[in-house]
Amino acid sequence: MKTCLIFFLYTTILQYYSHFSVSSLSTPLLLHLSHSLSTSKHSSSPLHLLKSSSSRSSARFRRHHHKQQQQQLSLPISSGSDYLISLSVGSSSSAVSLYLDTGSDLVWFPCRPFTCILCESKPLPPSPPSSLSSSATTVSCSSPSCSAAHSSLPSSDLCAISNCPLDFIETGDCNTSSYPCPPFYYAYGDGSLVAKLYSDSLSLPSVSVSNFTFGCAHTTLAEPIGVAGFGRGRLSLPAQLAVHSPHLGNSFSYCLVSHSFDSDRVRRPSPLILGRFVDKKEKRVGTTDDHDDGDDEKKKKNEFVFTEMLENPKHPYFYSVSLQGISIGKRNIPAPAMLRRIDKNGGGGVVVDSGTTFTMLPAKFYDSVVEEFDSRVGRVHERADRVEPSSGMSPCYYLNQTVKVPALVLHFAGNRSSVTLPRRNYFYEFMDGGDGKEEKRKIGCLMLMNGGDESELRGGTGAILGNYQQQGFEVVYDLLNRRVGFAKRKCASLWDSLK
């Protein structure tokens, strides 16, 4: 008896430590993100790219404040501003390319037969619509996933819609394929879709996830490309991955290669790392040049800067953080109260978003930042008023000489939680003109946007940190410790070294 007890305790301890070792030391999973411009033959001018990206950024931001829409899904951005991830679902060996979106919590893609209404002016999908594999199964109306897809509508209501008998509803016997989850409708800023919920295997390099839930859309309006939601909800890819492999789903990071809309730069892959845990003692991740090794100041610049995630009762899938202020040069401009916290109605905070191109700020705060920036740059350079309406950005300047641009620093909540943006992340320089009507001139624009009056933003997101401002940083979403981190990186080199 004593021997059996000792053996039982030994095997229990061995199993515990074996599990602990696998969980804590498992290798992160590396995937690559491609910029949407890299998959299309674009010949658009910088002005056209700026205008289309700024218009869609504004539409996406305002979508968060659509008062009549109960379902707050994020808006995929048009070609020129988004990042794509390739996934394989089901027994088919073909992969589907989807927009990576940290601002939503659902994975969906076009399925055959597929009809996209008013998609003539949209970019061509990088991959054709998928066919459901023979292993795909419908999700039952009583599944929590079905309720999540229908904005938390009670399963009893959903099963009634699916014609499940009342006695089955009362006894909880609607959990079969005979009573599938009803189709769901999503409305976007300039499009919409109807989809059905299915379950199948998800294949990633070295990992296969069974019973992965996704939406299959046969009809969309102005939305030809699907979305891989990376938000904090039940149906997001990290959340479903965490059930199978907690070390992969509980933390992830990406490092967006700086491109400035350059056709060569956008072709470089950006690394997405699932299972990216940052050790408290970590200084760098082997992404700087060797000659930096002895430079303590440069080492500090490559450390992660963390800020706490804020909980949002209305939009629980958002990665919201607190912004205390923005510095232009040596002047610190305090952020309004709505960007520092989230109220009981879910209003306020700053969403760190991979799917919005440019950072959006409340009007009064934006005006203060622009006023300070213009007082330094505008006194030396002529304002390019003609360009501003056609670019969607402001202020813009004609650059006839080397321009001195003041530093821009984002001050997040927390001890030493300030992030200094590289100049190219907030000041875009390009050539315009030379078409025979006007001479070719160099122009520079501030890459921040006016998100609207605070009164219009109440009850919704206060601001958005766009992906353009995140370029050249490894951005880590630490779900276990509920924090977001930023570290300056050479993202193209990081991809090469990790691969």
Side-chain angles (χ1 to χ4, degrees):
M1 181 73 179
K2 187 175 181 180
T3 303
C4 292
L5 179 61
I6 293 174
F7 178 75
F8 172 76
L9 291 173
Y10 171 77
T11 54
T12 301
I13 294 172
L14 185 63
Q15 289 175 354
Y16 171 80
Y17 279 105
S18 174
H19 173 75
F20 179 82
S21 176
V22 170
S23 174
S24 61
L25 298 180
S26 296
T27 304
L29 182 62
L30 175 66
L31 303 175
H32 88 266
L33 302 175
S34 58
H35 198 283
S36 57
L37 285 178
S38 68
T39 62
S40 61
K41 296 179 180 180
H42 73 92
S43 57
S44 302
S45 67
L47 278 179
H48 175 78
L49 290 172
L50 285 176
K51 183 62 176 179
S52 61
S53 297
S54 61
S55 296
R56 294 300 296 270
S57 294
S58 179
R60 179 183 174 93
F61 182 64
R62 295 181 187 282
R63 175 72 187 96
H64 293 310
H65 304 90
H66 200 294
K67 296 180 180 179
Q68 296 180 352
Q69 188 69 32
Q70 292 182 349
Q71 195 150 308
Q72 296 289 324
L73 260 186
S74 300
L75 174 67
I77 310 304
S78 64
S79 178
S81 57
D82 247 343
Y83 293 85
L84 297 159
I85 180 175
S86 182
L87 302 176
S88 295
V89 178
S91 56
S92 174
S93 58
S94 60
V96 58
S97 293
L98 308 174
Y99 287 129
L100 172 77
D101 185 12
T102 58
S104 65
D105 63 346
L106 174 72
V107 179
W108 73 268
F109 50 81
C111 290
R112 295 175 182 169
F114 177 68
T115 301
C116 186
I117 305 168
L118 299 180
C119 279
E120 293 79 8
S121 61
K122 299 290 181 176
L124 293 174
S127 56
S130 301
S131 297
L132 285 173
S133 71
S134 58
S135 55
T137 59
T138 57
V139 174
S140 73
C141 61
S142 62
S143 168
S145 296
C146 182
S147 180
H150 285 270
S151 299
S152 299
L153 195 67
S155 59
S156 55
D157 291 2
L158 294 170
C159 288
I161 296 172
S162 296
N163 295 317
C164 185
L166 178 59
D167 53 337
F168 279 30
I169 294 176
E170 295 292 354
T171 57
D173 291 329
C174 298
N175 56 345
T176 69
S177 58
S178 300
Y179 309 107
C181 182
F184 51 89
Y185 165 79
Y186 279 129
Y188 291 83
D190 63 349
S192 58
L193 64 98
V194 172
K196 294 181 179 179
L197 214 57
Y198 288 91
S199 177
D200 208 336
S201 61
L202 170 69
S203 297
L204 300 171
S206 73
V207 175
S208 180
V209 181
S210 59
N211 299 320
F212 181 78
T213 302
F214 60 92
C216 173
H218 292 286
T219 306
T220 66
L221 175 66
E223 298 297 344
I225 300 174
V227 175
F230 267 64
R232 302 171 73 183
R234 167 189 288 272
L235 297 177
S236 75
L237 194 148
Q240 295 193 63
L241 189 59
V243 174
H244 174 82
S245 302
H247 71 282
L248 292 179
N250 286 329
S251 186
F252 67 91
S253 73
Y254 53 70
C255 196
L256 305 179
V257 173
S258 301
H259 60 76
S260 298
F261 298 115
D262 178 78
S263 58
D264 292 328
R265 296 287 296 173
V266 297
R267 290 187 173 87
R268 295 299 303 269
S270 295
L272 168 67
I273 310 171
L274 302 178
R276 174 68 169 101
F277 288 93
V278 180
D279 190 276
K280 292 182 179 180
K281 297 181 180 180
E282 179 178 346
K283 299 299 182 183
R284 329 190 265 168
V285 193
T287 57
T288 54
D289 296 332
D290 292 337
H291 63 262
D292 290 341
D293 290 347
D295 192 331
D296 291 338
E297 192 62 30
K298 289 187 178 181
K299 284 182 181 180
K300 289 181 180 180
K301 290 181 180 179
N302 286 279
E303 294 177 4
F304 273 95
V305 169
F306 286 99
T307 186
E308 181 182 357
M309 292 181 189
L310 302 179
E311 299 301 320
N312 192 318
K314 187 176 180 182
H315 310 293
Y317 47 83
F318 285 162
Y319 296 107
S320 299
V321 297
S322 171
L323 182 69
Q324 303 295 297
I326 293 178
S327 287
I328 300 295
K330 294 183 178 180
R331 186 192 168 196
N332 183 12
I333 304 168
M338 72 176 306
L339 301 189
R340 295 168 177 257
R341 62 185 70 92
I342 293 177
D343 61 33
K344 62 181 181 180
N345 297 317
V350 177
V351 173
V352 184
D353 189 12
S354 68
T356 301
T357 315
F358 302 125
T359 295
M360 311 287 298
L361 301 173
K364 190 174 180 180
F365 184 47
Y366 168 83
D367 289 340
S368 297
V369 172
V370 168
E371 182 181 3
E372 181 63 24
F373 187 87
D374 187 59
S375 69
R376 295 165 180 263
V377 180
R379 65 186 179 189
V380 179
H381 299 275
E382 177 189 355
R383 188 78 173 256
D385 298 312
R386 177 190 62 81
V387 173
E388 292 175 3
S390 55
S391 69
M393 309 305 295
S394 176
C396 296
Y397 307 92
Y398 291 113
L399 308 179
N400 298 321
Q401 61 191 54
T402 302
V403 58
K404 292 184 178 180
V405 178
L408 192 154
V409 183
L410 305 175
H411 301 289
F412 295 107
N415 184 28
R416 299 175 63 186
S417 295
S418 295
V419 176
T420 301
L421 296 184
R423 168 172 159 159
R424 62 178 175 270
N425 283 30
Y426 62 94
F427 193 72
Y428 178 50
E429 300 176 39
F430 61 96
M431 300 299 295
D432 184 52
D435 55 2
K437 297 179 181 179
E438 297 182 12
E439 64 175 314
K440 200 168 188 178
R441 303 185 67 177
K442 189 174 185 179
I443 294 171
C445 295
L446 179 66
M447 305 295 275
L448 303 176
M449 292 190 66
N450 185 338
D453 295 334
E454 284 191 31
S455 59
E456 300 173 355
L457 305 180
R458 286 181 187 147
T461 304
I464 284 181
L465 179 64
N467 63 50
Y468 197 89
Q469 280 66 51
Q470 298 175 46
Q471 292 179 98
F473 287 92
E474 184 182 1
V475 183
V476 62
Y477 297 80
D478 185 347
L479 307 184
L480 282 180
N481 296 302
R482 297 183 178 181
R483 59 182 186 171
V484 179
F486 305 87
K488 189 108 176 270
R489 297 281 185 254
K490 295 181 179 179
C491 296
S493 299
L494 178 60
W495 168 259
D496 291 337
S497 63
L498 289 173
K499 187 177 66 171

